Amino acid sequence: MAGFVAVHTGAGNCIDETKYHRVIKEACIRATDILRNGGNAVDACEAAIMRLENCGYTNAGYGSNLCMDGTIQCDASIMNGTTLNFGACTNVSRVKNPIQLARRICDSQSNPQLMERIPPMILAGNGAERYAEEMGCTMIEPTVLISSKAKFLYNHYKSKYELVAGNRSNKNASVDEEVEETEQESQDSIMPVPDPGNEVELTAALDTVGAVCVDASGQTAAGCSSGGILLKVPGRVGQAASYGAGCWATDTDDLSIATCTTGNGEYLMKTLLAKEICNGAFTSDCAVTSLHKTFKQKFLDSPLLPQQQDLYAGALTLLYYPKQSSGEVMWSHTTQSFCVGYMATTQKVPKFVFSPLPTYSVPGRSCVVNGHNFPLRI
């Protein structure tokens, strides 16, 4: 059976891409094995993301970023391009693989409910965890998902955050003391503390994971999983659980397309970037041109977003042309770098790609698009 899968470990400021090299390849191999054995695109997409959630290096599942209070809360979603069913979960702490729960919710969209009730599309918190238990998802204690990496990052940046808060309180308290105020400003210039939302400083903030896949029948699927931004407010919902923002997939007779995003979650939700990427592809003859245009018009220049700030986003997009039995996988990002991998069922070894932003480009202000063509042989 034929098929193709692509995965990513998040767009951000990757210092050492080698730590993602192995897990990306393993995720691709796991997904293509499923496709070769007759599994569909949704099966393969779920399996690939589960591998990424379990590795401990990414910001998804085990190893996810911690909230401001030190707890862990995960988001995930998946979409079936043929049925257009979408399932997502948010603020789950006891589900080992949030993407597994999202898949169960997605599948339930096609199951009739008693008394004509409409099946849930997104579940949150305790209710989502109870549903996960009922559906047979693997459940664990929240502390099991917290890695040593996550603890270190939390302690490091929480202390810096508290220092910033303390400095600002001291400034407000000493407005009547001109000398003290001057000394405080001098201290701030000597000891700059990163903004918790700054992508360059919080290198682990944007490494949400995702996957896109097409199977032998031409069905596509897209999914993503994330622990959210480091030091997030407990209860915050990110793009990985939001309809139209984290992932999107649509299949037609002429074009099937699937995409998953990563970056500043609130900005991805405001712009519905995943859905916009797919909409743009249907109205363009060139995938590269379409992605550039969407990132420029719908994200970087969007009136919905603050133009005085750097805007960080990345997307992994798969386009499949059923009549030609071929497709394209594209990666695009405004961040300093993006790690992706892809593999067809005809390949023996996955391809790993470290995509840097060109030296002449400014992170958060410009976009780069690259890609690769693939045949879908049966």
Side-chain angles (χ1 to χ4, degrees), residues 207-363:
D207 46 358
T208 294
V209 306
V212 289
C213 183
V214 60
D215 60 30
S217 69
Q219 179 189 56
T220 65
C224 57
S225 181
S226 177
I229 192 168
L230 181 58
L231 302 185
K232 68 180 180 182
V233 175
R236 177 252 194 189
V237 178
Q239 103 279 357
S242 298
Y243 187 70
C247 66
W248 195 262
T250 306
D251 300 342
T252 69
D253 292 338
D254 297 316
L255 172 65
S256 297
I257 182 168
T259 190
C260 52
T261 66
T262 174
N264 296 134
E266 278 64 27
Y267 298 161
L268 295 170
M269 288 186 284
K270 277 190 172 185
T271 57
L272 295 176
L273 187 61
K275 189 173 186 295
E276 291 288 0
I277 286 172
C278 292
N279 288 344
F282 281 110
T283 59
S284 175
D285 294 329
C286 176
V288 175
T289 301
S290 171
L291 280 163
H292 265 296
K293 184 177 179 180
T294 299
F295 264 80
K296 180 67 174 173
Q297 295 182 358
K298 303 297 184 178
F299 189 75
L300 291 173
D301 292 341
S302 172
L304 300 170
L305 304 183
Q307 294 305 305
Q308 71 276 15
Q309 293 186 17
D310 293 336
L311 306 174
Y312 297 109
L316 181 62
T317 307
L318 183 151
L319 301 97
Y320 175 64
Y321 309 97
K323 294 177 181 179
Q324 288 79 40
S325 295
S326 64
E328 300 172 89
V329 59
M330 313 294 298
W331 48 93
S332 44
H333 55 101
T334 68
T335 54
Q336 192 67 54
S337 61
F338 198 17
C339 291
V340 305
Y342 56 85
M343 185 179 185
T345 50
T346 53
Q347 292 177 245
K348 294 182 179 180
V349 180
K351 174 68 175 178
F352 173 83
V353 178
F354 173 73
S355 175
L357 201 66
T359 53
Y360 55 81
S361 299
V362 179

Side-chain angles (χ1 to χ4, degrees), residues 50 122 145 179 187 218 262 264:
M50 285 180 66
I122 303 174
L145 290 176
V179 174
Q187 181 181 3
T262 174
N264 296 134

Side-chain angles (χ1 to χ4, degrees), residues 133-149:
E133 287 184 294
E134 293 173 4
M135 293 295 104
C137 296
T138 303
M139 308 299 291
I140 56 176
E141 289 300 314
T143 54
V144 176
L145 290 176
I146 300 176
S147 68
S148 57
K149 176 210 73 172

